Amino acid sequence: MADDVAAPSSTAAPRQGRAPDRSTNRSTDRSTDRPPAMSDVAQAAGVSHQTVSRVLNEHPNVRPETRRRVQEAIEELGYRRNTAARALVTRRTGAIGVITEDSPLYGPTMTLIALENAARNQGLYVSVATATRWDVATVRGSLEHYLDQGVDGVVVIASHDEAVRAVQGYRSRVPVVMVGPSELDGDVHTVAVNQYAGARLATRHLLELGHRDVVHVAGPSVWLDARSRTRGWRDAMLQAGLQPREPLVGDWTASTGFRLAKDLLARSRASDDPADRLPTAVFAANDQLALGVLHAFAEAGVKVPQDVSVVGFDDVEGSAHFFPPLTTVTPDFVALGRVCLEQMVSAMAGSPPSSLLVGSSLTVRSSVGPPRRT
């Protein structure tokens, strides 16, 4: 396709009272059977090839007026960098592969969005592959795919045990950063939300309100996040001198939270054992589980927070509009994406493997209050 706008047909008469437009584009002396090159930009801006390169690479030693002329020429000509040629020179493609969960789970989704935004701000782009399951063969197949594509590095967003095993035992020619585990052996950089601290924060808030019986609705035990959140809850209880009940273990879905809460209600009504009584508070391992718990309590006529307080984890979109609005742990996903990219850039520069943690805050809403009984 020709790069220049087609001139009006010579058979069309100009409008009366207006001279024909005889202006020409700067690039008219350039052959229109090829895309514009850097040399065309240099000629149009009246600068050297090296100056155009400096502008493209955001080199600071370019005068503002010169930078403006080059940028105007780039826009006018529709110039696009030849990434293949650039890769041959720099041995960098500017691409990062990302392997993430093939599911609507909020944490991985928000991490991916934050990572993509951080990469774009650094002039990098991401290519995403979703894993339908976290077995070793699937994860390593995705890693091999990205190596064949010539990416500069790979990010794996997963805290599933199988994914960890697959990445930890894989010898990669490019840096690998894993989002989820707090620490790994081998040549893998890691970055994670401090799940343990977030769970302790939620549990301690309930304890400070006066609760002494806080039940935990846990995520699946094959996930590091779930185990860390369970450990944070349990340690907070033990450090307060309380013996916690066994957690109610499920998956990450609202339907499971609903079922586990229904079971809890049924046991409390069928038994006189104090160990089976309805707790004064529930800490759910994510907001979807908490949503199911709220549904079961509402259906049974249990008032939240008057009868039972409920806390979640993740602060998903819409959690402020649960009924009642949900108190929840809010991970700093923006920081997670930024730190993940920093880890990748550091790894690409040859830095040794390191592990970094990102914090969380507690967003308090009306699903919690002091217990009716102590």
Side-chain angles (χ1 to χ4, degrees):
M1 184 176 69
D3 295 295
D4 300 326
V5 177
S9 170
S10 60
T11 60
R15 292 182 181 180
Q16 188 174 1
R18 180 180 176 183
D21 184 1
R22 301 185 184 279
S23 63
T24 57
N25 189 285
R26 293 181 184 177
S27 59
T28 52
D29 60 344
R30 174 176 56 83
S31 172
T32 58
D33 62 356
R34 64 170 176 82
M38 192 182 294
S39 58
D40 299 313
V41 175
Q43 181 180 358
V47 299
S48 68
H49 183 282
Q50 289 82 357
T51 298
V52 175
S53 178
R54 291 190 186 100
V55 172
L56 289 170
N57 290 299
E58 299 182 353
H59 196 284
N61 295 333
V62 180
R63 289 186 301 175
E65 173 61 24
T66 302
R67 187 183 303 276
R68 183 186 61 77
R69 291 208 317 273
V70 171
Q71 290 170 340
E72 287 178 352
I74 288 171
E75 183 176 354
E76 181 180 344
L77 297 176
Y79 170 75
R80 293 293 181 270
R81 302 183 79 166
N82 186 332
T83 55
R86 184 187 178 205
L88 288 174
V89 175
T90 65
R91 299 189 179 182
R92 298 285 188 208
T93 62
I96 298 172
V98 179
I99 305 171
T100 189
E101 175 84 5
D102 179 21
S103 81
L105 288 175
Y106 187 75
T109 300
M110 291 304 296
T111 302
L112 174 61
I113 292 171
L115 173 61
E116 198 278 332
N117 287 336
R120 191 185 321 115
N121 290 337
Q122 292 290 325
L124 304 172
Y125 68 93
V126 300
S127 173
V128 181
T130 56
T132 55
R133 56 186 187 277
W134 285 119
D135 60 274
V136 172
T138 299
V139 175
R140 292 191 177 177
S142 297
L143 288 167
E144 290 290 342
H145 164 76
Y146 279 130
L147 291 180
D148 291 343
Q149 298 300 311
V151 297
D152 296 333
V154 179
V155 175
V156 181
I157 303 174
S159 63
H160 192 284
D161 286 345
E162 283 294 307
V164 171
R165 278 194 286 270
V167 172
Q168 201 163 18
Y170 184 79
R171 297 181 65 85
S172 175
R173 300 190 302 272
V174 299
V176 176
V177 176
M178 193 159 194
V179 182
S182 58
E183 189 174 355
L184 286 180
D185 296 329
D187 297 329
V188 180
H189 296 248
T190 66
V191 58
V193 170
N194 193 331
Q195 312 287 346
Y196 175 83
R200 277 175 50 85
L201 184 65
T203 308
R204 289 179 64 181
H205 180 70
L206 291 168
L207 296 175
E208 288 167 0
L209 288 172
H211 294 278
R212 293 295 176 264
D213 187 9
V214 180
V215 165
H216 181 45
V217 178
S221 58
V222 294
W223 286 80
L224 277 69
D225 290 357
R227 296 201 299 272
S228 294
R229 294 173 191 182
T230 297
R231 189 163 52 86
W233 157 79
R234 179 179 286 115
D235 284 355
M237 294 288 287
L238 292 173
Q239 288 166 9
L242 302 170
Q243 184 60 47
R245 307 190 198 190
E246 284 300 307
L248 309 176
V249 180
D251 54 24
W252 296 114
T253 65
S255 58
T256 295
F258 178 79
R259 174 179 58 81
L260 292 173
K262 293 278 283 186
D263 292 344
L264 186 66
L265 288 162
R267 286 197 305 274
S268 70
R269 290 170 177 172
S271 173
D272 294 327
D273 189 339
D276 292 327
R277 69 184 178 185
L278 195 64
T280 65
V282 172
F283 166 48
N286 77 342
D287 291 348
Q288 290 302 310
L289 287 168
L291 177 61
V293 170
L294 291 174
H295 181 189
F297 285 168
E299 191 176 84
V302 175
K303 295 180 180 180
V304 177
Q306 293 89 339
D307 298 325
V308 184
S309 288
V310 178
V311 178
F313 201 116
D314 281 340
D315 199 11
V316 301
E317 181 67 29
S319 60
H321 302 284
F322 289 3
F323 188 77
L326 183 66
T327 294
T328 182
V329 178
T330 306
D332 191 343
F333 288 113
V334 173
L336 185 65
R338 185 184 70 249
V339 172
C340 178
L341 186 66
E342 289 171 358
Q343 285 280 68
M344 176 57 71
V345 172
S346 176
M348 289 162 55
S351 298
S354 60
S355 299
L356 296 175
L357 290 174
V358 171
S360 302
S361 58
L362 185 68
T363 301
V364 179
R365 302 190 180 107
S366 54
S367 66
V368 298
R372 184 172 286 177
R373 60 183 186 274
T374 58

